[in-house]
Amino acid sequence: MTDTLPKAPLDTPFGPGIDRVEGPLKVTGTAPYANEHTARRIGSPTHPLVGFMVLSTIAKGRLVSLDTTAARTSPGVRLVLTRDNAPPQNDWGPLVARDRFARSQPALHDDRIRFFGQPVALVVADTLETARAAAQTISATYEPETPAVTLDEKTAIIPPTLNGFKPTRTSIGDFRNSYAASAAKLDVTYETPHQSHAQMEPHATTALWDANGEHVTLWTSNQILNSAQKGIASTLQLKPEQVRIVGLYVGGGFGGKLPWFDDALLAAIAARMLKCPVRVAMTRQQMFTATTHRTATRQRIRIGAARDGHLRAIAHDALSHCASFDNFVEDTTTITRGLYGADAITTSALLNKLDLPRSDSMRAPGDAVGMIALECGLDEIAHTLGMDPVALRLANDTQTDPTAKRPFSSRKLAECLRTGATRFNWSARNPTPGQHREGEWLIGTGMASAMRYNLVRPSQAEIILSQTGHLTVRMAMTDPGTGTITILARIASEATGIPPDRITVTIGDTDFPPAAGSGGSFGAESAGSALYNACETLRLRLARTATTENGPLANIPLSTLSFSNASLTNGTKTIPLTQLVPRDGLTTQGSIKPGNEAKDWSQASFGAHFAEVAVSAVTGETRVRRMTGVFACGRILNARTARSQAIGGMIWGISAALFEANPVDPRSGQFTARDLANYHVASHADAPHIDATFLPEDEPVSNPLHIKGIGEVGICGAPAAIGNAIFNATGIRIRNFPITPDKLLPHLPEISL
Amino acid sequence: MKTFTYTRASTVAEAAKRATPAGAMPIAGGTNLLDLAKPELINPDQIIDITRLPDLNTVTRTSDGTVHIGALVPNADLAAHPLIRQHYPVLSRAILSGASPQIRNMATTGGNLLQRTRCIPFYDPAARCNKRTPGAGCDALHGPNRMNAILGGSPSCIAVNPSDMAVALRVLDATIHVTTAAGTTRTIPIADFHLLPGNTPDHETRLERGDIITGLTLPPPPPGRQVYRKVRDRASYAFALVSVAAIIDADPTPDASPHIRSARFALGGIATKPWRIPAAEAALADQPLTRDALNRAADLTLAGASGHGENDFKIPLARRTLTHVIAHTARNPIPMDPSGAT
Ligand SMILES: Cc1cc2nc3c(=O)[nH]c(=O)nc-3n(C[C@H](O)[C@H](O)[C@H](O)COP(=O)(O)OP(=O)(O)OC[C@H]3O[C@@H](n4cnc5c(N)ncnc54)[C@H](O)[C@@H]3O)c2cc1C
């Protein structure tokens, strides 16, 4: 019999959760963000110069000339960078790439204008004010062409794949016949608008080259540092080792910092030319055009059901857009493929290539918008059948992924629905719409399921145990406010038995082992598993050292050993870890790669949303009164930050249902909301009491930590629950999101005197 | 933002004199001026800080019941002031419905009256706007105009005056006090203060170069219940789609329709200036609350209203909101103390 060290226990009671490790720095304003790096902090003798971008004011055409005379002679200006003096860069691409964030993305590279708000120049000066003033003296001459900026099936193409290389079309069963034979049928179209991430921290970069101009360090705000490293290196025709990306604090990402942007590239170019550190930050207005956004969608949803509620047929056909020069395809129909056990499910996608800025991931790409059509559609069918919406969902629950034809590794949708219904007091609901009125306000409730497929990405970690017993974690991971630093500390503590106060998590630097970064809810699983793996190796090394012939635990079987309180023990004999560490410390590595589990199992997080709204019968204003969300996402690493993720997603669901949209002016091709006064997200007064909980669950397959993604499931389905509640309140079904007062107004009852 | 000189004025006369040259501008809270100067929508070359001017920071009441409000009283303080809360709750409510606590802390009474429109093309340096560049054209007329005016506009401009405070001041018949560059003083009734755009939309108020607003006076409050209803896309921190400031004096008649003695109402969010139509008020004076009377009042208020596409909905929204506010207030009269005594 082989003697093996038991696995680290995964049941440390962390109770109501642990505080954010970096919380005090953030709330006291002392956590340095990308635009706040002083000369001292970056190790430069001189203070960073400041670059200000000049953006195009047409959406499509040719940049004929730029008049930069006044800017170049403005006091304090050091450089006016245009396509005339920009260094050679690689062309955009490749279009199809495994890692689209590692592609080459040149700027000031040719005379084509591809979207409104594309950088055409950078002015670098001693101060922000002088750079900005000089930038505003630059005038451009264009040969404009008419931009195509609206979704249109007639000009759409069938994309080869969807985001994540998922198939464009899927089909199980016989949709046509199943739909035709259905007792209840629905065939409607839902529309969702362009949305902007509008993170609190604008995109910003500080760049510094070494004395030879060979290596550059970029302090930037980005979610996947290793991809940015490769992409910027490729663009500037450098080797990745010549580019170091540092990004410890990220003031919100939501997918809008998965790509890197021209702030990073232009700061790097300017700093090299000027032999001086340069920083470039986007203004709030610039962020809305010079970065990515969530595509608008138009989704036809057809649902056929038997009289008993059994779903016979679902078809979900989605149109979205990407930039003319890009190939991102919103995977709008992903959840429809796997959520309900219908007899026939078909999905398809169409794509418009438009003269707009790039569309790309935004929190729960695909699912956040796709579940609006699916889950509102289900509500419509429930209403037609006269069936309770929760019962309809329970009746179609399945433990097998219907399209992938694989079992789910863990799926507690039914438990989430039942628990949510109880917590929300769903049974008190009047299913007939428009019956409950309190003065001016029509009250209604609605619900929706939540689902988000799980992802694991390659990740590595290194840990160093010093002789003093301090454990340092190193990985090029990021924490865009999600709480990653804190859970990494917890994982390391749980796995090694070293208390959290003797653990330092250092992330945010490509000098550390490459990590998955933060996105797609894969951060904790990927980085956390790599770290866990490094801890396992460390444990084994320590246990072996202890049990060697001359070791303090000689002849004691490994199988009897455990780690706790920074010690190794077999129950009777306890050895502090410090006694087992060589003078220069003990370093181990760990890694994770997606394995075969994904072929054998479908893995996803599930949940259920319940919402109560009040709709003014006079004005059509909707206010959410309360929400309940119940989620099952495997083991929860930190109850406190997990709850923040859930309520953040649900509040974003309120925004998506009621407020958020960035319409394009079809004449100019420009987004019309360019500041936070016009781009509405939920204010405090819009966020009511939110009851968010996680059910206890074990995820046996996905990863050694038994966890699943929690960052995005909270928004999935949340807007649909609110749309459904509005229907219950008013009897009005709005299929064009967001549901603003002007859309409800024509259908409201006469004013009562 | 262009480089400018910054100086502090220590007397009103000095401020008025220094603010006279073209390109000179007073700055109070700066919450509007700086947002416009950074993207060069306005380009002052001299900024005169008036926040240290003496004696413009108080709210006082004279023996005849008139209340005087200094131009530098912050929006937050004005809304919270006991005299205002007690006698002019419509003003408190209007102010508190606007912006955010941080902005209201900085914003001043004078600055609020002079805040510029939030029209989307006005805020877009790349768009055409007759307010910014007379004769350039208007990109709102056939463009993004969901927030724009249905009343008081012209082919040159359909920009809404976005102030909530000004709508309440309009229904309260405030008078604005000004010191001119020549050192003289004059008063302007709120009804005349904001100008319709016509074909000079760059000319927004009756103020002239160098004029400094020193404050405003409110006559004793008229009888009736005061309300401010702001319809907006989200619950807070959003400009009005439609707002109604109303003072309704009605007899509570438990079983029958209430009898309206007098009704005053001004609308915001829908017009190029705070919108008040005396004939519409007259249609309700000394009338029972009936649908006919309310329809007449709404017809008169909205006479000539026209939508421009995205903002068409404001016509029914304004009618519904106005109807509801008047009817609801008349049915629930909590009369103010008509004497105004504290
Ligand atoms: C994000 C945001 C949301 C907002 N939401 C709302 C809202 O919902 N409702 C609303 O009503 N308002 C809203 N506001 C506007 C806000 O009320 C105004 O910005 C504020 O009242 C302006 O006052 P201020 O003292 O800061 O003016 P400043 O910016 O200092 O000045 C504005 C103008 O007035 C001139 N000026 C100032 N004082 C005097 C004086 N005494 N004499 C002569 N000229 C003077 C200045 O030269 C300048 O031209 C919002 C503002 C922001 C930024």
Side-chain angles (χ1 to χ4, degrees):
Chain A
M1 208 185 82
T2 51
D3 178 26
T4 53
L5 183 69
K7 286 211 168 302
L10 294 173
D11 54 7
T12 318
F14 280 88
I18 28 185
D19 289 339
R20 279 174 204 269
V21 172
E22 80 290 10
L25 287 179
K26 284 184 173 166
V27 297
T28 56
T30 46
Y33 287 84
N35 193 44
E36 298 175 332
H37 289 291
T38 54
R40 192 174 51 79
R41 210 177 253 140
I42 61 172
S44 155
T46 58
H47 205 65
L49 300 172
V50 183
F52 194 89
M53 298 193 311
V54 179
L55 306 185
S56 76
T57 55
I58 63 164
K60 185 182 188 185
R62 200 170 77 81
L63 174 61
V64 180
S65 63
L66 281 171
D67 183 352
T68 59
T69 325
R72 277 184 283 115
T73 54
S74 291
V77 169
R78 306 292 192 95
L79 174 69
V80 177
L81 188 65
T82 67
R83 67 165 196 264
D84 294 333
N85 57 351
Q89 300 162 66
N90 278 341
D91 287 338
W92 171 273
L95 193 58
V96 181
R98 266 282 133 196
D99 180 354
R100 71 177 180 279
F101 309 120
R103 291 182 296 188
S104 172
Q105 297 174 185
L108 316 181
H109 190 49
D110 59 17
D111 64 357
R112 289 303 303 168
I113 300 298
R114 297 174 175 86
F115 58 91
F116 196 110
Q118 168 186 324
V120 295
L122 179 83
V123 178
V124 184
D126 295 340
T127 66
L128 172 64
E129 288 75 14
T130 44
R132 181 172 192 156
Q136 282 163 320
T137 65
I138 293 179
S139 67
T141 310
Y142 299 104
E143 264 169 30
E145 295 162 35
T146 308
V149 294
T150 39
L151 290 182
D152 182 0
E153 282 85 356
K154 290 196 287 297
T155 56
I157 57 168
I158 299 174
T161 58
L162 308 183
N163 180 25
F165 300 96
K166 298 182 190 99
T168 304
R169 291 166 169 278
T170 61
S171 178
I172 58 148
D174 176 351
F175 174 78
R176 241 158 62 107
N177 284 319
S178 301
Y179 185 68
S182 296
K185 288 192 198 117
L186 175 79
D187 181 354
V188 291
T189 298
Y190 277 83
E191 289 178 297
T192 64
H194 297 291
Q195 296 179 339
S196 304
H197 306 80
Q199 305 93 335
M200 282 303 287
E201 181 205 17
H203 299 69
T205 304
T206 305
L208 175 68
W209 289 80
D210 64 2
N212 313 327
E214 275 173 20
H215 292 87
V216 65
T217 303
L218 300 173
W219 288 263
T220 192
S221 186
N222 184 275
Q223 294 173 241
I224 310 185
L225 305 188
N226 296 103
S227 299
Q229 177 186 35
K230 288 185 209 133
I232 290 166
S234 159
T235 311
L236 293 176
Q237 306 177 340
L238 302 170
K239 296 196 218 47
E241 309 85 79
Q242 290 174 273
V243 178
R244 177 180 166 212
I245 310 280
V246 183
L248 183 51
Y249 300 111
V250 178
F254 316 120
K257 291 175 183 167
L258 291 171
W260 52 274
F261 295 99
D262 293 328
D263 57 307
L265 182 68
L266 296 176
I269 291 174
R272 191 182 218 182
M273 290 170 75
L274 290 165
K275 299 188 169 39
C276 205
V278 170
R279 69 164 165 242
V280 177
M282 295 193 194
T283 63
R284 179 61 65 192
Q285 286 80 0
Q286 290 175 336
M287 285 172 71
F288 281 93
T289 66
T291 71
T292 51
H293 63 279
R294 195 200 298 275
T295 173
T297 70
R298 190 177 297 143
Q299 308 174 43
R300 181 179 183 197
I301 185 97
R302 282 169 291 171
I303 304 178
R307 224 170 286 287
D308 66 357
H310 173 69
L311 290 177
R312 304 212 50 186
I314 306 177
H316 192 174
D317 306 295
L319 173 67
S320 67
H321 99 89
C322 75
S324 62
F325 54 97
D326 198 14
N327 65 347
F328 177 82
V329 191
E330 185 87 4
D331 52 322
T332 311
T333 60
T334 303
I335 297 303
T336 305
R337 296 170 181 181
L339 184 50
Y340 299 116
D343 300 341
I345 303 173
T346 75
T347 66
S348 78
L350 288 174
L351 180 71
N352 284 129
K353 293 214 160 195
L354 298 181
D355 303 309
L356 287 175
R358 280 152 66 197
S359 67
D360 208 299
S361 298
M362 181 159 150
R363 201 172 192 175
D367 310 343
V369 286
M371 286 197 79
I372 289 178
L374 178 64
E375 289 298 292
C376 288
L378 230 64
D379 199 68
E380 297 203 46
I381 275 287
H383 183 71
T384 308
L385 290 166
M387 188 168 176
D388 179 73
V390 175
L392 176 67
R393 284 161 175 90
L394 288 171
N396 292 283
D397 190 23
T398 170
Q399 288 296 323
T400 304
D401 189 322
T403 298
K405 300 195 162 64
R406 291 186 289 248
F408 284 103
S409 56
S410 57
R411 169 168 163 138
K412 283 196 176 171
L413 174 65
E415 291 85 336
C416 290
L417 289 165
R418 290 201 186 95
T419 307
T422 307
R423 294 180 77 103
F424 187 79
N425 196 16
W426 178 254
S427 59
R429 172 188 207 241
N430 185 340
T432 312
Q435 300 302 301
H436 182 174
R437 186 164 176 159
E438 293 175 9
E440 176 188 333
W441 299 93
L442 296 163
I443 314 301
T445 54
M447 58 77 56
S449 302
M451 174 178 177
R452 170 89 186 153
Y453 279 102
N454 206 48
L455 291 168
V456 178
R457 288 283 168 85
S459 220
Q460 298 176 29
E462 178 175 86
I463 55 175
I464 304 146
L465 182 58
S466 75
Q467 212 190 18
T468 60
H470 198 91
L471 187 77
T472 303
V473 177
R474 286 156 50 97
M475 55 203 315
M477 189 51 191
T478 51
D479 181 342
T482 47
T484 307
I485 299 172
T486 311
I487 56 147
L488 291 176
R490 180 212 155 133
I491 290 166
S493 171
E494 198 171 37
T496 60
I498 298 171
D501 61 359
R502 269 177 257 170
I503 295 175
T504 304
V505 176
T506 56
I507 62 168
D509 190 333
T510 53
D511 277 357
F512 300 155
S518 309
S521 302
F522 55 63
E525 273 176 89
S526 311
S529 298
L531 171 60
Y532 180 80
N533 188 250
C535 292
E536 290 270 271
T537 308
L538 181 83
R539 286 158 49 92
L540 195 59
R541 295 256 303 266
L542 291 167
R544 288 238 168 90
T545 306
T547 53
T548 50
E549 251 170 74
N550 308 322
L553 298 174
N555 301 324
I556 294 177
L558 290 177
S559 61
T560 63
L561 296 180
S562 63
F563 290 75
S564 65
N565 287 326
S567 319
L568 181 57
T569 179
N570 71 340
T572 48
K573 214 167 164 196
T574 299
I575 307 297
L577 298 184
T578 45
Q579 285 187 22
L580 304 170
V581 181
R583 181 161 320 139
D584 49 354
L586 189 56
T587 301
T588 64
Q589 277 87 23
S591 66
I592 185 156
K593 278 198 193 104
N596 279 335
E597 310 82 37
K599 295 202 186 75
D600 303 331
W601 302 91
S602 274
Q603 302 159 31
S605 295
F606 290 90
H609 293 282
F610 295 81
E612 177 179 315
V613 301
V615 182
S616 165
V618 175
T619 63
E621 293 163 286
T622 301
R623 303 290 177 245
V624 177
R625 287 182 152 189
R626 62 189 175 105
M627 278 181 99
T628 293
V630 179
F631 307 96
C633 304
R635 212 167 60 97
I636 297 305
L637 291 170
N638 183 5
R640 188 162 299 155
T641 47
R643 182 172 173 278
S644 290
Q645 289 291 307
I647 64 174
M650 291 167 75
I651 293 170
W652 202 331
I654 297 175
S655 296
L658 302 177
F659 315 124
E660 233 180 309
N662 206 341
V664 175
D665 184 336
R667 303 167 305 172
S668 64
Q670 182 178 206
F671 284 126
T672 51
R674 291 177 298 273
D675 56 43
L676 296 179
N678 282 305
Y679 190 78
H680 282 180
V681 300
S683 68
H684 282 84
D686 295 297
H689 175 69
I690 289 182
D691 165 34
T693 41
F694 291 90
L695 295 181
E697 186 181 49
D698 180 49
E699 163 51 45
V701 165
S702 298
N703 55 74
L705 297 171
H706 298 242
I707 63 174
K708 294 189 282 191
I710 60 164
E712 291 164 310
V713 69
I715 190 176
C716 298
I722 293 164
N724 295 340
I726 291 174
F727 175 74
N728 180 247
T730 62
I732 305 165
R733 179 67 72 179
I734 302 296
R735 300 190 184 91
N736 178 349
F737 277 60
I739 305 175
T740 45
D742 46 320
K743 294 176 189 169
L744 288 164
L745 199 63
H747 314 285
L748 293 174
E750 204 189 339
I751 303 290
S752 53
L753 301 189
Chain B
M1 180 151 59
K2 295 230 159 65
T3 304
F4 54 78
T5 61
Y6 167 89
T7 52
R8 265 183 210 149
S10 47
T11 65
V12 173
E14 184 197 340
K17 217 158 125 206
R18 288 225 225 122
T20 305
M25 286 184 105
I27 187 169
T31 59
N32 195 219
L33 189 150
L34 288 173
D35 273 359
L36 295 169
K38 281 191 247 174
E40 300 189 359
L41 300 166
I42 58 172
N43 292 299
D45 52 27
Q46 299 172 52
I47 298 252
I48 298 103
D49 185 344
I50 59 170
T51 56
R52 314 288 167 102
L53 294 182
D55 306 328
L56 299 186
N57 204 348
T58 54
V59 179
T60 48
R61 188 154 176 255
T62 50
S63 52
D64 64 352
T66 304
V67 165
H68 183 87
I69 301 164
L72 293 175
V73 175
N75 287 180
D77 293 9
L78 184 57
H81 199 282
L83 280 175
I84 304 302
R85 287 171 55 119
Q86 187 174 1
H87 302 293
Y88 308 97
V90 63
L91 180 57
S92 278
R93 294 237 166 249
I95 292 170
L96 291 174
S97 76
S100 66
Q102 295 89 335
I103 293 170
R104 295 195 297 268
N105 284 340
M106 290 300 292
T108 64
T109 308
N112 193 320
L113 266 178
L114 293 173
Q115 65 170 293
R116 310 288 306 272
T117 184
R118 312 301 288 202
C119 173
I120 284 175
F122 173 77
Y123 259 83
D124 175 8
R128 297 177 307 154
C129 175
N130 289 319
K131 256 191 200 307
R132 278 189 283 115
T133 315
C138 169
D139 270 341
L141 266 181
H142 306 288
N145 57 37
R146 183 169 177 273
M147 299 300 288
N148 286 64
I150 52 169
L151 282 162
S154 72
S156 308
C157 184
I158 52 168
V160 157
N161 180 310
S163 171
D164 289 298
M165 184 188 83
V167 182
L169 293 181
R170 180 72 184 89
V171 86
L172 291 169
D173 287 322
T175 301
I176 292 141
H177 295 249
V178 173
T179 295
T180 70
T184 58
T185 60
R186 70 198 164 100
T187 59
I188 309 168
I190 180 83
D192 303 335
F193 185 77
H194 295 103
L195 302 175
L196 293 176
N199 49 23
T200 53
D202 54 316
H203 210 70
E204 294 180 348
T205 69
R206 289 267 299 275
L207 293 188
E208 295 180 6
R209 293 233 125 265
D211 281 355
I212 297 289
I213 299 177
T214 54
L216 47 88
T217 46
L218 299 176
R225 181 174 173 204
Q226 302 183 12
V227 291
Y228 190 75
R229 174 66 192 264
K230 181 173 176 179
V231 183
R232 44 189 152 171
D233 281 318
R234 61 179 169 189
S236 172
Y237 201 35
F239 287 94
L241 299 170
V242 168
S243 71
V244 177
I247 306 175
I248 309 293
D249 186 21
D251 259 336
T253 40
D255 301 321
S257 223
H259 183 82
I260 300 175
R261 273 193 293 266
S262 73
R264 298 158 180 251
F265 44 89
L267 278 74
I270 56 164
T272 51
K273 61 183 280 187
W275 204 250
R276 185 172 172 196
I277 303 293
E281 295 178 357
L284 289 172
D286 213 9
Q287 296 282 320
L289 179 75
T290 62
R291 200 168 286 278
D292 271 358
L294 285 169
N295 280 343
R296 258 197 319 280
D299 287 345
L300 287 163
T301 305
L302 296 171
S306 68
H308 306 275
E310 290 181 5
N311 69 349
D312 291 349
F313 75 96
K314 283 188 174 181
I315 300 176
L317 182 60
R319 171 177 283 275
R320 292 174 69 88
T321 309
L322 179 65
T323 307
H324 172 77
V325 164
I326 295 170
H328 187 80
T329 313
R331 283 200 182 283
N332 300 280
I334 307 165
M336 299 299 301
D337 178 358
S339 74
T342 46

